[in-house]
Amino acid sequence: DAGVTQSPTHLIKTRGQQVTLRCSPKSGHDTVSWYQQALGQGPQFIFQYYEEEERQRGNFPDRFSGHQFPNYSSELNVNALLLGDSALYLCASSPGLREQYFGPGTRLTVT
Amino acid sequence: GEDVEQSLFLSVREGDSSVINCTYTDSSSTYLYWYKQEPGAGLQLLTYIFSNMDMKQDQRLTVLLNKKDKHLSLRIADTQTGDSAIYFCAETDDSGNTPLVFGKGTRLSVIA
């Protein structure tokens, strides 16, 4: 059984550009959460998707948006990239809110 | 709001026990988790404890919870060099309304 997968592994973008990150959840998991982990920090919650709807949202601007597809996979979109958006973006899947299993992350560098 | 605090660094000798501590502020915390992150990798769920338990043991890992003091610890017995990583404490409540709140992580260095 494959765990949580994310693509791409690394990404370099320029300020002002837009980026899309992808996540496939663990088999049997219907809930996907996204976290941003800045260097030297713990992960910060961005938002969570369940049944193709955003169920919870953390303290992130509207430039951060997402989507969940019928197969439970998810995308994170970030518009108008800022230097401060450089971070490791982690996707976690779970059957509900407990026992979240994380993917390897996408390392985004904004120059 | 919720807050989770951890000491930033811990150094132990191979074969010794490691104890990583965590304190949290949210009295409604119901589930408390320990995650491990190796360099350049995602987070690996190690174990979790429900707030009505005092202790949970899983092979070399022992989790102790003092709910009165809002203090959580992770003990790793017979620490190995492969245990070198960053360990994150995280909490959530049982309402289904709050996501995981993480500490800043404790970097464990194991000296051979």
Side-chain angles (χ1 to χ4, degrees), chain A residues 62-83:
Chain A
D62 292 343
R63 297 187 298 108
F64 289 77
S65 63
H67 188 77
Q68 186 179 33
F69 299 94
N71 67 353
Y72 307 125
S73 67
S74 177
E75 288 183 348
L76 163 65
N77 301 293
V78 187
N79 293 323
L81 284 166
L82 303 174
L83 294 179

Side-chain angles (χ1 to χ4, degrees), chain A residues 37 45 56 97-100, chain B residues 31 35 37 48 94 96-97:
Chain A
Q37 186 181 19
F45 175 72
Q56 289 285 314
L97 264 179
R98 295 196 284 275
E99 295 184 59
Q100 293 187 32
Chain B
Y31 285 86
Y35 283 87
Q37 186 175 37
Y48 65 95
D94 197 38
N97 291 329

Side-chain angles (χ1 to χ4, degrees), chain B residues 46-93:
Chain B
L46 291 177
T47 187
Y48 65 95
I49 190 167
F50 187 54
S51 61
N52 67 354
M53 300 167 65
D54 297 325
M55 184 183 85
K56 182 178 181 181
Q57 190 158 0
D58 185 1
Q59 299 183 325
R60 293 191 298 122
L61 305 179
T62 302
V63 178
L64 294 178
L65 175 61
N66 182 326
K67 195 175 178 184
K68 174 176 168 290
D69 294 337
K70 299 193 182 79
H71 182 267
L72 182 74
S73 68
L74 174 69
R75 178 178 180 269
I76 306 173
D78 187 25
T79 312
Q80 302 298 307
T81 54
D83 295 323
S84 292
I86 300 176
Y87 290 81
F88 290 95
C89 169
E91 61 89 16
T92 188
D93 70 18

